[in-house]
Amino acid sequence: MFRRLFLWLMLSATLLFSAGCAERSKATDRKRMAVVISTLNNPWFVLLAESAKARAEELGYEAVIFDSQNNSSKETEHFDNIIAAGYGAILFNPTDADGSVVNVKRAKEAEIPVFCMDREINARDVATCQILSDNYSGCVAIGKEFVRTVGREGNYAELLGLVGDNNTWNRSRGFHTVVDRFSGLKMVAQQSADFDRNTAMMVMESILQAHGDLVGVFCGNDAMAMGAYQAILAAGKADKIKIFGFDGERDVLNAIRDGKIVATGMQSPVLMARTAAEFAHRYLTGDQNFPKKIPIAVQAVTRSNVDQYNE
Amino acid sequence: MKKAIKAIAWCVAVVIILALSLKVERLDERTTAEFDPTEQVEHFWNESLPSLLVGDRVVGVDLFCQELKNNRQLLIDRYGLTLGIGAPYSLLVGGEFMVAEVGEELTTLRTETGALFLMRTAYIFGNTVREASGAFSIDDYENTMDFNSIASELNDRVVERIVAPATNLLQAGNSLRVVGALDLTPKGPADEVFELIPLSIQPCE
């Protein structure tokens, strides 16, 4: 009787011990990094994702890219899977400044560090570090270029990105900090085109129907600038309406060289992605002391300096 | 008849529910964040700025010009403050200048040794003043929009409280003691002409 009881106890203890070990090894599977990206339907974000993955792999980690398709629920599903699979760190490009906070909180509770790339979340103490483009300063520079190019008078339009993304508003604010000082410059249309080229083309077409006298359009990213250019070209106003973008995509750099687009803000997706992967590596190897936010400078690119940005 | 009334009642109910569940917000109002930078900037302006302008964070203009030729990195290491990666270093420079030329946005200042500075007196943008002050940290703000509104508020104050009261001093030939903020990059020509954002403009005794 006692022998049987002893055997049962031993068996239970062994099972509990192995379960504990499995749980621990799951929680400390530090050789894998998850790269969660808001959308892979935009070459800029593809570059961000691939650069993060490549740097993580160089540092000896297995890295997997998850596409949130600009959908917060999809992003939550990814976080569920990443937490369940016990990844060591998350290199994260959020879909929404407010909506993504809860996902980062859950990862933190699961003791998985999260390093935000490019897009910010509206919380200070949740992500381990946020590596962000200095969108505001970049768009201050674009705003100055706008006034220099179109002058101090005229009607203009603005195409905003995703309304829930802080980058959208930081860019818009940076631009308006400058342009709003010139009372002769009047914004006659401000519409969201979700950072999307096709949407921007449609939005611009409708703006042009109501406002044919624009002197310029400021677009919150380069994809929208290219969409706006297509609409403006089709309306036969390419020589009258000056277009400004933001991101530093190759298409737009070529368009700046060709005089189709006036300026863009050169972000550094590769630098942001590599920094995030390197910080995650530092964290996983014992250094857990990071600033909460690190802005990365954005340079204004115009025809006068575009050749510095060859490939 | 009864069916029609029922259908209308349903439609009205659905419309009411939809109307109550939607919050329509103008895009331009969406940019107006709740954060108000005025209190923090006012505190800095009254409590910290006066001592900052006479403290050892200010590099004398002659030393600045000398080290610009000899050791730019020393200026950056000793006096420069920067935000994140890749941004210029912002620092405070002060000394005596003669007004060489007065423009709409920029006033040209000349030092005794002949170095030129462009003092910005209108359309002040960017983070130079905020960063040079060293008084504000990005980590203290919920989001970068709030942090950026500090920079904007500081720039506005420079125009209102520093430049406007000194307008009568800005005449060619006048000697002024100016302390201001400027941006310095690690690489640049030795004869670079810097834009100086004034934080104090006083007549020389």
Side-chain angles (χ1 to χ4, degrees), chain A residues 14-308:
Chain A
T14 313
L15 282 172
L16 279 171
F17 180 73
S18 358
C21 284
E23 195 59 37
R24 264 182 66 156
S25 77
K26 198 170 155 187
T28 55
D29 182 5
R30 299 189 148 207
K31 293 310 284 179
R32 282 195 297 173
M33 286 190 197
V35 181
V36 183
I37 298 292
S38 60
T39 175
L40 292 178
N41 192 24
N42 177 327
W44 194 92
F45 289 106
V46 174
L47 180 60
L48 185 77
E50 286 177 351
S51 305
K53 183 175 189 281
R55 186 61 186 140
E57 286 171 349
E58 277 169 23
L59 293 165
Y61 295 84
E62 182 194 325
V64 179
I65 297 174
F66 296 82
D67 178 7
S68 304
Q69 297 168 16
N70 269 337
N71 179 340
S72 299
S73 347
K74 194 92 189 160
E75 183 182 281
T76 304
E77 275 175 37
H78 291 328
F79 268 74
D80 286 340
N81 295 335
I82 289 162
I83 292 167
Y87 276 78
I90 302 172
L91 312 181
F92 181 40
N93 172 242
T95 53
D96 188 287
D98 291 313
S100 298
V101 174
V102 65
N103 292 329
V104 183
K105 270 188 183 157
R106 285 174 49 244
K108 191 184 179 186
E109 282 160 15
E111 296 179 3
I112 302 174
V114 178
F115 296 85
C116 292
M117 303 181 289
D118 175 52
R119 287 183 176 175
E120 184 179 27
I121 55 165
N122 285 334
R124 253 184 296 175
D125 299 319
V126 188
T128 309
C129 179
Q130 301 195 54
I131 301 136
L132 313 162
S133 275
D134 190 353
N135 291 286
Y136 176 84
S137 304
C139 284
V140 166
I142 296 289
K144 286 180 183 173
E145 198 55 44
F146 187 89
V147 177
R148 246 195 305 270
T149 308
V150 307
R152 296 183 178 195
E153 281 182 6
N155 292 340
Y156 71 93
E158 179 182 5
L159 298 188
L160 295 162
L162 291 164
V163 178
D165 178 12
N166 281 7
N167 285 355
T168 296
W169 299 108
N170 275 323
R171 290 174 195 178
S172 182
R173 273 192 173 190
F175 175 77
H176 284 285
T177 298
V178 178
V179 176
D180 290 0
R181 298 298 163 99
F182 300 92
S183 56
L185 285 169
K186 290 194 171 53
M187 184 172 70
V188 291
Q190 183 191 45
Q191 287 188 44
S192 171
D194 294 340
F195 288 136
D196 182 74
R197 183 172 179 154
N198 291 333
T199 312
M201 192 174 77
M202 288 188 286
V203 169
M204 195 69 224
E205 280 168 357
S206 83
I207 291 174
L208 286 170
Q209 282 170 13
H211 307 282
D213 61 342
L214 299 180
V215 294
V217 55
F218 168 61
C219 307
N221 79 345
D222 280 349
M224 294 194 294
M226 290 304 287
Y229 173 73
Q230 280 177 279
I232 289 166
L233 184 68
K237 294 181 185 291
D239 55 338
K240 292 192 179 77
I241 303 175
K242 307 295 180 194
I243 305 165
F244 298 75
F246 194 88
D247 273 347
E249 276 184 19
R250 197 175 303 160
D251 282 358
V252 167
L253 295 183
N254 289 334
I256 289 172
R257 276 190 199 97
D258 298 342
K260 296 171 181 168
I261 286 177
V262 177
T264 186
M266 175 57 73
Q267 296 198 85
S268 311
V270 177
L271 177 62
M272 277 190 280
R274 288 178 69 86
T275 308
E278 284 160 14
F279 278 15
H281 173 63
R282 268 173 54 188
Y283 184 97
L284 295 173
T285 50
D287 177 6
Q288 301 190 351
N289 191 21
F290 297 97
K292 289 290 168 201
K293 285 176 191 170
I294 299 188
I296 309 274
V298 175
Q299 313 296 336
V301 183
T302 63
R303 213 169 180 180
S304 67
N305 67 352
V306 68
D307 289 333
Q308 293 172 19

